């Protein structure tokens, strides 16, 4: 396909990912309003955020497996429509229970999107851009969080929290309609192959390659390290609006805007981490692991320092740099998963990564932080959260140790050799 169409697909996919996370994170901007109106504890607020990531983690694997077999574009459109309608449902919820059900269906709708969307993007670009595109695409989640908390907070302050949810749901439906018109399954299929040629042969390939999702120590380490590191990012994205509201005495709209700025920094860190990984590892792919380790250790040190400092400009500077590094391992980790799994199950491999990111990071991050906040206060909870980076660092070090021998055993290539054609499995 033409470069123009490939980048159009990327742009629309990125837009849907923005909508995905806008629908997910708008809740965090209205935490203070819901807490006051429904008299909710921090643990209850955290559960409303965590249930989305939990549903994504539990369902992403079967839904992405379905997408690999039955069509990625149709799956993406169904997912976007469902999470948008569920977000509209949240706008009319009358109690915590109804809101919880609405948030559950937001997670069900989002379950397949992250893994299938990134698989579509990586399938139409050269393998040498994998870490960069992975980091940029995953960063869409952080940018969507920026818009979710900033725009959602502003809308909530002007028109009430229900309109904040409604605006996100309407935006998602409009974008899904545009995607349906522009992106066609037949144009994404390899040249000379019918897009619906997915019958017995495809299922046979799938059964053959599925065991390779967990066939090496290094790929399991990439799953674990990525998920554990995103525990920190997930906690920050969910609780920074409340942090600014409580400790800097900002109104909900202003706190949402401030937190949106830090969510933007988290997203930029994902992109810079992917770009740095591709640049540094161009001659030695094993260096991707070094980038991931550096990001984890840097986030541990700077965030621990930030939450020990008094409120003020120095604390905000340390917090900003810590946020920049907190999810910088996302791009390298996604690239390493792509390196060590077959292209024919790309969506399923990224679903496994999404499962790890959700169950180890994005789901427990907000919920555990909320529970800790009820016990130690929000600031005390945020002082504990960065310690998870110790476990993420250990996972990345283990993966780095085994990576060269695993790549040689699985693909027959050394870490100094990379395939030149996108159809080849490793990168």
């Amino acid at each position: 396909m033409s470069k123009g169409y490939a980048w159009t697909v990327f742009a629309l996919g990125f837009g849907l990912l923005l909508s995905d996370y806008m629908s997910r994170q708008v809740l965090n901007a209205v935490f203070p309003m819901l807490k006051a109106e429904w008299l909710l504890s921090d643990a209850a607020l955290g559960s409303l955020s965590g249930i989305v990531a939990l549903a994504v983690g539990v369902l992403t694997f079967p839904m992405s497996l379905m997408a690999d077999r039955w069509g990625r574009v149709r799956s993406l459109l169904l997912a976007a429509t469902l999470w948008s309608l569920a977000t509209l449902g949240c706008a009319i919820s009358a109690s915590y229970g109804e809101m919880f059900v609405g948030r559950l269906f937001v997670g069900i709708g989002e379950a397949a999107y992250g893994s299938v969307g990134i698989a579509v993007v990586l399938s139409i670009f050269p393998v040498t851009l994998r870490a960069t595109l992975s980091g940029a695409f995953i960063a869409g989640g952080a940018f969507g969080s920026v818009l979710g908390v900033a725009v959602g907070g502003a809308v909530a302050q002007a028109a009430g929290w229900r309109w904040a949810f409604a605006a996100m749901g309407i935006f998602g439906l409009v974008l899904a309609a545009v995607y349906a018109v522009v992106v066609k399954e037949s144009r994404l299929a390899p040249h000379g192959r019918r897009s619906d040629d997915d019958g017995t042969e495809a299922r046979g390939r799938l059964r053959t390659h599925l065991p390779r999702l967990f066939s090496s120590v290094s790929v399991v380490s990439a799953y674990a390290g990525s998920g554990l590191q995103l525990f920190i990012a997930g906690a920050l994205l969910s609780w920074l609006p409340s942090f600014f509201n409580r400790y800097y005495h900002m109104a909900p709209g202003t706190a949402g805007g401030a937190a949106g700025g830090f969510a933007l920094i988290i997203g930029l860190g994902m992109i810079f981490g992917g770009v740095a990984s591709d640049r540094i590892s161009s001659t030695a792919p094993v260096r991707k692991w070094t980038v991931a380790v550096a990001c984890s250790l840097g986030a541990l040190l700077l965030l621990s320092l930030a939450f020990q400092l008094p409120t003020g400009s120095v604390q905000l500077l340390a917090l900003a740099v810590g946020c920049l590094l907190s999810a910088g391992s996302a791009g390298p980790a996604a690239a390493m998963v792509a390196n060590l799994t077959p292209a024919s199950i790309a969506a399923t491999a990224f679903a496994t990564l999404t499962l790890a990111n959700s169950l180890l990071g994005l789901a427990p991050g907000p919920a555990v932080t909320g529970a800790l906040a009820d016990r130690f206060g929000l600031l005390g909870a945020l002082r504990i959260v960065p310690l998870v980076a110790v476990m993420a660092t250990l996972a990345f070090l283990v993966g780095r140790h085994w990576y060269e021998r695993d790549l040689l055993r699985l693909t027959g290539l050394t870490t100094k050799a990379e395939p030149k054609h996108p159809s080849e499995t490793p990168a």
Side-chain angles (χ1 to χ4, degrees):
M1 68 181 68
S2 68
K3 289 183 179 180
Y5 186 72
W7 282 109
T8 299
V9 172
F10 175 85
L12 288 173
F14 190 85
L16 279 178
L17 192 64
L18 290 179
S19 170
D20 178 331
Y21 275 81
M22 288 169 69
S23 296
R24 184 186 299 197
Q25 301 294 348
V26 64
L27 170 76
N28 304 325
V30 301
F31 267 1
M33 296 180 179
L34 292 179
K35 185 178 181 69
E37 182 172 334
W38 289 343
L39 303 178
L40 301 178
S41 67
D42 286 339
L45 290 172
S47 69
L48 288 175
S49 183
I51 187 60
V52 177
L54 181 61
V56 169
V58 171
L59 297 175
T60 188
F61 190 91
M63 287 191 173
S64 298
L65 186 62
M66 177 188 71
D68 272 331
R69 294 176 57 179
W70 294 341
R72 295 173 181 175
V73 173
R74 286 191 295 270
S75 299
L76 295 183
L77 291 174
L78 177 62
T81 301
L82 180 56
W83 84 57
S84 299
L85 291 175
T87 304
L88 289 175
C90 291
I92 60 173
S93 59
S95 65
Y96 170 81
E98 292 180 9
M99 176 70 77
F100 190 88
V101 172
R103 296 287 293 173
L104 173 62
F105 276 92
V106 170
I108 293 172
E110 294 179 1
Y113 187 75
S115 56
V116 179
I118 196 172
V120 169
V121 168
L122 294 186
S123 71
I124 58 177
F125 284 93
V127 295
T128 53
L129 293 175
R130 272 183 174 168
T132 299
L133 288 171
S134 296
F137 195 82
I138 295 171
F143 297 143
S145 300
V146 172
L147 296 173
V149 297
V151 176
V155 173
Q157 190 165 329
W161 63 264
R162 296 184 186 277
W163 276 107
F165 284 100
M168 303 307 163
I170 293 170
F171 174 72
L173 290 174
V174 171
L175 198 56
V178 175
Y179 194 93
V181 171
V182 175
V183 182
K184 302 297 181 182
E185 196 87 51
S186 58
R187 296 192 65 179
L188 301 181
H191 181 68
R193 176 185 171 191
R194 298 193 313 274
S195 62
D196 60 349
D197 186 17
D198 292 321
T200 304
E201 181 182 354
R203 290 192 291 271
R205 288 196 304 271
L206 203 56
R207 285 193 296 269
T208 300
H209 290 310
L210 277 177
R212 292 183 62 181
L213 291 172
F214 302 96
S215 62
S216 66
V217 173
S218 52
V219 77
V220 172
S221 297
Y223 295 144
S226 178
L228 290 167
Q229 190 63 29
L230 286 180
F231 181 102
I232 300 171
L236 293 173
L237 291 171
S238 293
W239 287 103
L240 281 180
S242 294
F243 172 76
F244 289 120
N245 174 254
R246 298 181 194 182
Y247 298 99
Y248 283 82
H249 309 292
M250 297 180 181
T254 307
F262 282 86
L264 177 62
I265 292 173
I266 292 174
L268 291 174
M270 291 180 178
I271 295 176
F272 292 154
V275 172
S277 175
D278 279 337
R279 293 287 182 87
I280 294 172
S281 64
S282 59
T283 57
V286 73
R287 293 176 184 167
K288 287 182 173 68
W289 296 94
T290 304
V291 174
V293 169
C295 289
S296 295
L297 289 177
L300 169 64
L301 295 174
L302 286 163
L303 291 175
S304 296
L305 173 63
F307 291 119
Q308 292 293 335
L309 291 171
T311 57
S313 57
V314 177
Q315 182 189 55
L316 294 178
L317 177 60
L319 180 59
V321 182
C323 286
L324 185 71
L325 297 174
S326 64
S329 59
M336 290 180 286
V337 169
N339 294 351
L340 294 162
T341 53
S344 60
I345 54 168
T348 307
F350 285 111
T352 307
L353 179 61
T354 302
L355 174 66
N357 288 343
S358 297
L359 295 188
L360 295 178
L362 298 176
V368 171
T369 304
L372 290 172
D374 282 337
R375 184 177 180 86
F376 303 109
L378 182 56
L379 183 59
L382 291 174
R383 288 172 175 169
I384 297 172
V385 164
L387 298 177
V388 177
V390 174
M391 294 184 288
T393 300
L394 291 175
F396 287 134
L397 288 173
V398 170
R400 189 183 190 283
H401 176 75
W402 285 89
Y403 182 63
E404 185 169 358
R405 69 193 75 180
D406 284 341
L407 191 64
L408 181 62
R409 176 172 58 85
L410 294 172
T411 68
L413 296 173
T414 68
T415 57
K416 295 182 179 180
E418 289 190 318
K420 302 299 182 182
H421 193 275
S423 64
E424 297 177 19
T425 300

